[in-house]
Amino acid sequence: MADDIVLPVPEAVYATYVVPTSRPPSDVIAAVRHYLASSVDDNLRDLVQPLLDTPVCQISVIRASDAPALPDDLFRIFGAAPEEVESASTATHMVVVQLASPPGWPPAHEWVARIIAAGIAVACDAPIIDTFVPRLTSSEKLERTYPDDRGEMRIAQWVLIPQSAGQEGLWLTTKGLGRFGLPELQGANVPPQLGGQMAGAMSGLAQALLNWWIDAIGRDEPPAFVQLPQLFDFSHEDVSAAYGRSDASPAARVSVRLELDPSQPSEDTFLSILPPLDFPASTGEFFARLCQDLFGSSPDEVRQSRQREAMERAIATAMSTIDDVRTRFVQRKLGLDQRLLVKFRLSVPGGDEYPWLFVNSWNSPDQIHGTSGNDAVRDPSVRVGRPLVIAASDVIDWAIWTEADGIVEGGWTNDVLPE
């Protein structure tokens, strides 16, 4: 069909895990068998045991000096503890576990490789490198991702969603759908205040997409290609399933448009998440609507102050430090979880309004690119999630915001606004 996306089905998918250690087991297979007997339930043991010491399961021990350099910076970005990074970077050997299998369900290659790598790591008290991400983890964390006795697992434990700042908002991607033979997902121009909710929404979309993929390729000989509907539906139930929760909320359904973005050599292929063609506003506003439909969130309204003198004092306090906070932002000295907001004067008939703007770029001292954090009351051009460019001279306040705690620094004008 014209509105379908043609996806190739790979002949095989691969799992590679590495255990960096200075004390590799003298008998790797024996170490894994001991782990299986002492720490793995019968169903998983029966899955792994027949593959050990066969050509299907490739386990090798190499010197660290013969292996590629480890991506320590990526390990830190993906949450590795300093002692884990130190242990990996000073290891003298690498124990490499590799398996392959046809795409589909169950992803036996991943389950078996994880269990074997965990057994080796336990034997030599070492961390584990999941090379697909790449991420440094531990045997305890991997054990929490094993499938249960019904063969079910939480997709959110297998698919990570990193995010980075862009010119008109956040860029969120998945990293893990490729384990199953699928392209990764990406969403650009996500309103910064919705980063956490969009990560949840993308986990639900990943869950729904994986369910569709399993049905589409079947359990027999996989086809060479499958056709993915360009307009794809998922629900709050899919979000709950991705995190292993029961869904007590209404099963709100949403539709997104997917567009295939072919990869360059050595890069991921992406399915871009876009608004349906008939959506009348920007991509950022679509993501705000999607999160509201899924999670019941709603944008804050702009509040107005009647305390003119108090407001003027608050503005003076903010402006006395505005150059310093811009320098911190431009030099990337804010915390990884921190976002810079500025409040700006919006002149409209009937009096000024003061919306917040999440700053995406402030390279020129005179001009700020950002994403609206509020719906204006009397100006329909200012809507939550919409990209805006404002003059720095219109700024009256600034704040540092985190998803966990809200405003943690600045925001003086909020103190003189009505509750």
Side-chain angles (χ1 to χ4, degrees):
M1 297 175 59
D3 292 334
D4 284 349
I5 299 170
V6 178
L7 295 181
V9 180
E11 294 183 0
V13 284
Y14 301 87
T16 303
Y17 291 83
V18 176
V19 179
T21 178
S22 297
R23 298 185 294 108
S26 57
D27 188 336
V28 173
I29 300 299
V32 175
R33 291 191 191 281
H34 176 75
Y35 174 75
L36 292 175
S38 60
S39 304
V40 178
D41 66 35
D42 293 344
N43 290 335
L44 294 179
R45 187 182 310 123
D46 291 344
L47 175 66
V48 177
Q49 197 86 274
L51 299 178
L52 274 177
D53 212 9
T54 70
V56 173
C57 176
Q58 300 183 25
I59 305 175
S60 56
V61 181
I62 62 174
R63 291 187 177 277
S65 57
D66 296 329
L70 297 180
D72 292 351
D73 289 343
L74 285 177
F75 291 162
R76 295 186 186 96
I77 289 172
F78 284 112
E83 58 271 18
E84 291 176 324
V85 177
E86 174 70 15
S87 174
S89 62
T90 58
T92 60
H93 291 78
M94 304 285 169
V95 185
V96 183
V97 181
Q98 294 179 310
L99 276 92
S101 71
W105 198 264
H109 66 299
E110 283 283 352
W111 293 353
V112 172
R114 283 195 172 198
I115 292 169
I116 291 173
I120 297 168
V122 168
C124 52
D125 191 23
I128 302 162
I129 301 171
D130 175 359
T131 65
F132 191 92
V133 178
R135 176 177 59 167
L136 195 61
T137 186
S138 65
S139 57
E140 292 84 359
K141 291 178 182 177
L142 281 195
E143 287 169 354
R144 291 197 289 269
T145 71
Y146 293 171
D148 61 23
D149 54 8
R150 296 176 295 175
E152 296 181 358
M153 64 187 201
R154 301 176 184 178
I155 193 69
Q157 294 179 318
W158 292 72
V159 177
L160 301 182
I161 304 183
Q163 55 181 266
S164 57
Q167 183 74 13
E168 295 185 356
L170 299 178
W171 178 45
L172 275 69
T173 63
T174 62
K175 189 63 176 176
L177 282 173
R179 303 181 194 272
F180 312 103
L182 277 163
E184 302 295 342
L185 294 168
Q186 66 175 352
N189 302 341
V190 174
Q193 70 272 32
L194 298 178
Q197 289 191 344
M198 270 302 297
M202 287 177 66
S203 293
L205 177 56
Q207 179 71 63
L209 189 61
L210 180 58
N211 293 342
W212 171 87
W213 176 252
I214 293 165
D215 290 339
I217 65 178
R219 296 181 180 269
D220 298 322
E221 186 70 22
F225 299 92
V226 293
Q227 291 183 313
L228 171 69
Q230 188 179 53
L231 199 62
F232 195 86
D233 294 350
F234 67 105
S235 73
H236 193 279
E237 289 182 349
D238 295 310
V239 178
S240 294
Y243 292 93
R245 300 192 294 254
S246 58
D247 193 347
S249 302
R253 295 195 68 81
V254 295
S255 294
V256 297
R257 179 167 58 93
L258 299 176
E259 186 175 285
L260 187 63
D261 181 18
S263 65
Q264 300 296 322
S266 303
E267 295 181 0
D268 289 327
T269 297
F270 285 104
L271 287 167
S272 295
I273 307 169
L274 301 168
L277 290 175
D278 60 355
F279 187 76
S282 68
T283 300
E285 289 166 274
F286 170 71
F287 289 141
R289 175 76 59 80
L290 182 148
C291 289
Q292 183 174 353
D293 290 344
L294 280 177
F295 306 114
S297 60
S298 59
D300 295 330
E301 292 185 354
V302 177
R303 294 175 292 165
Q304 298 175 305
S305 175
R306 305 300 180 189
Q307 305 177 53
R308 180 173 295 276
E309 292 185 2
M311 177 64 78
E312 289 177 353
R313 288 195 299 271
I315 293 173
T317 301
M319 292 300 94
S320 68
T321 52
I322 190 73
D323 290 339
D324 176 66
V325 79
R326 175 182 176 267
T327 299
R328 289 162 59 192
F329 173 80
V330 171
Q331 295 180 356
R332 299 183 179 181
K333 293 183 178 180
L334 300 181
L336 291 177
D337 63 335
Q338 294 180 331
R339 305 288 177 195
L340 174 62
L341 298 92
V342 293
K343 182 178 286 188
F344 64 101
R345 180 179 288 104
L346 185 65
S347 297
V348 291
D352 293 340
E353 296 183 35
Y354 300 94
W356 283 104
L357 183 83
F358 281 84
V359 178
N360 297 324
S361 174
W362 198 350
N363 295 327
S364 167
D366 301 325
Q367 194 176 74
I368 305 173
H369 293 254
T371 304
S372 177
N374 309 95
D375 284 347
V377 176
R378 294 187 298 276
D379 188 340
S381 70
V382 177
R383 288 292 176 264
V384 64
R386 182 172 295 183
L388 298 175
V389 181
I390 67 168
S393 57
D394 289 332
V395 172
I396 66 160
D397 197 2
W398 62 266
I400 304 298
W401 177 92
T402 71
E403 187 169 10
D405 300 312
I407 291 177
V408 296
E409 183 182 352
W412 292 273
T413 59
N414 274 14
D415 294 336
V416 295
L417 290 173
E419 293 296 331

